[in-house]
Amino acid sequence: MPIPGHIDPVPVPRAAVPRADGRLDLMGMPREQLRQALADAGLDAKAAKLRAKQIWHWIYNRGATDFAVMTDIAKAQHPWLTERFVIGRPQVVEAQVSSDGTRKWLLRSDDAQDYEMVFIPDADRGTLCVSSQVGCTLNCRFCHTGTMRLVRNLTAGEIVGQVMLARDALGEWPSQPEGRMLTNIVMMGMGEPLYNFDAVRDALKLVMDGDGLALSKRRITLSTSGVVPMMARAGEEIGVNLAVSLHAVTKEVRDEIVPLNRKYGIEELLQACADYPGANNARRITFEYVMLKDKNDSDAEAHELVRLLKQYKLPAKVNLIPFNPWPGAPYDTSTPERVRRFSEIIFEGGISAPVRTPRGRDIDAACGQLKTAAEKKSRAELDRLAEEKQAALG
């Protein structure tokens, strides 16, 4: 289904693009939708209910992609299922491994759209950074992904498919809660998750289902640049941890580097954080703050950040992110000394402010670097694109 114009920042459901072979992809379907698909294909009500339960288990608990391995379904029915359905995975265009062990995949959809995901291994956890859009609705000026036009939203199947593919690559089937490398998910890849709310919600429900992928909501973090009207709904309907791309403490600076601030200002955003369902000292809201040299990294701005978080009585921690350069970027990275001092001021204010160690820089997998097309744009082109996106957002 074509999307009018270049920019479509509204969370409008999209009709799935039919596969060329006519088969229906079951990836991303919850149990009831799977049952209905089987019934529509000709199974009677009782058989559709039973088969849906069996197939759902094989997909999300066992990682199956072939009906032939489903041993509790009669072999005679395997060809019937194979003729009508497929259990999809994103196509891997390129897989890269950083010198620090970070992995990045360039993925391609059935309609030839490219997007990326990243896996970051640590000693005590493994975090998958998942994309929600092809391109991005927004135009944060420090972010390489923000220089892309929004092509379309990813479907729930394409979002959960990234998790499935990572499990494939890590050899983590059947699904079990103990001893796995993939322990955490962050919705921090390409796109603004809250401008693709329905698909993100439906995908994460599948990820959190105890009979399937079984990842606790406490191990999932959704990051937003501040789509205020959707934040409470995210807390109520998804209930995962919240991260907010703050990056500045004054209207002037945040209007420049996170232009969504012109629509939803800092005060409105922080109030939405204070109202976020489930936020408490045990589940603090993470504020992401990219450190830009001589732009947002002064002592005064650190003190103001502490003041704001205390004013709104926010259970918060601040992740300080050294800026990850990309070709044509309009900013420089703060010095290590400046980042350290900024962190010290926030810690002295009683708020945790660790400095995030950049990961995967050598394969452009670090925060803000994801971008499927590496073409360079002039400053004038970047400004034009930013203006188009801002106009579309209103």
Side-chain angles (χ1 to χ4, degrees), residues 10-15 27-30 33 130-134 152-163 187 192-208 222 230 233 237-238:
V10 183
V12 178
R14 300 290 168 208
M27 178 54 59
M29 289 189 183
Q33 187 179 353
V130 175
S131 292
S132 58
Q133 295 180 314
V134 179
R152 69 167 173 83
N153 289 333
L154 293 177
T155 66
E158 289 165 337
I159 294 169
V160 75
Q162 295 170 65
V163 184
M187 295 299 305
E192 165 54 63
L194 295 188
Y195 276 131
N196 188 16
F197 181 86
D198 289 350
V200 168
R201 176 200 59 207
D202 294 348
L204 291 182
K205 283 186 175 181
L206 288 170
V207 171
M208 294 185 287
L222 184 150
M230 303 300 293
R233 190 175 167 199
E237 297 185 28
I238 306 175

Side-chain angles (χ1 to χ4, degrees), residues 138-140 225-228 245-270 390 393-394:
L138 302 179
N139 55 327
C140 302
S225 291
V227 186
V228 168
S245 295
L246 188 61
H247 307 307
V249 294
T250 66
K251 173 176 170 53
E252 179 185 15
V253 176
R254 196 164 192 267
D255 279 357
E256 175 189 335
I257 66 177
V258 187
L260 184 64
N261 194 69
R262 301 172 197 169
K263 189 175 181 69
Y264 308 114
I266 292 175
E267 294 80 8
E268 190 178 359
L269 172 59
L270 293 179
Q390 193 62 35
L393 287 167

Side-chain angles (χ1 to χ4, degrees), residues 143-378:
C143 179
H144 203 191
T145 314
T147 67
M148 298 179 67
R149 295 188 184 279
L150 173 66
V151 179
R152 69 167 173 83
N153 289 333
L154 293 177
T155 66
E158 289 165 337
I159 294 169
V160 75
Q162 295 170 65
V163 184
M164 307 292 282
L165 183 63
R167 281 275 185 89
D168 293 347
L170 296 170
E172 298 198 339
W173 299 111
S175 182
Q176 53 189 2
E178 302 299 329
R180 57 192 179 195
M181 293 175 64
L182 200 172
T183 61
N184 293 67
I185 288 174
V186 291
M187 295 299 305
M188 296 182 184
M190 296 170 63
E192 165 54 63
L194 295 188
Y195 276 131
N196 188 16
F197 181 86
D198 289 350
V200 168
R201 176 200 59 207
D202 294 348
L204 291 182
K205 283 186 175 181
L206 288 170
V207 171
M208 294 185 287
D209 193 299
D211 294 327
L213 292 167
L215 203 64
S216 165
K217 66 181 180 181
R218 295 180 180 273
R219 291 190 172 271
I220 301 173
T221 300
L222 184 150
S223 178
T224 178
S225 291
V227 186
V228 168
M230 303 300 293
M231 288 171 61
R233 190 175 167 199
E236 292 162 359
E237 297 185 28
I238 306 175
V240 297
N241 300 317
L242 180 68
V244 174
S245 295
L246 188 61
H247 307 307
V249 294
T250 66
K251 173 176 170 53
E252 179 185 15
V253 176
R254 196 164 192 267
D255 279 357
E256 175 189 335
I257 66 177
V258 187
L260 184 64
N261 194 69
R262 301 172 197 169
K263 189 175 181 69
Y264 308 114
I266 292 175
E267 294 80 8
E268 190 178 359
L269 172 59
L270 293 179
Q271 186 58 56
C273 292
D275 296 337
Y276 186 74
N280 53 47
N281 287 328
R283 296 186 63 199
R284 293 174 294 173
I285 294 174
T286 299
F287 289 91
E288 297 158 332
Y289 199 100
V290 65
M291 299 296 294
L292 305 173
K293 184 178 180 181
D294 299 328
K295 177 58 65 174
N296 66 351
D297 62 352
S298 70
D299 284 6
E301 284 160 312
H303 286 295
E304 176 64 7
L305 178 55
V306 172
R307 188 193 70 79
L308 283 170
L309 297 181
K310 288 189 172 182
Q311 176 185 337
Y312 286 88
K313 301 179 181 178
L314 289 165
K317 73 172 182 177
V318 179
N319 268 349
L320 298 179
I321 307 168
F323 174 60
N324 296 304
W326 42 268
Y331 303 109
D332 293 322
T333 307
S334 300
T335 65
E337 295 77 19
R338 181 91 296 271
V339 176
R340 185 164 53 250
R341 179 55 188 151
F342 200 96
S343 175
E344 287 172 354
I345 291 170
I346 299 172
F347 269 113
E348 289 165 3
I351 298 168
S352 176
V355 178
R356 184 184 296 175
T357 302
R359 300 289 299 272
R361 275 184 171 178
D362 55 328
I363 58 171
D364 290 334
C367 181
Q369 289 187 321
L370 295 191
K371 188 173 188 291
T372 58
E375 80 278 3
K376 294 183 180 180
K377 286 187 172 74
S378 70

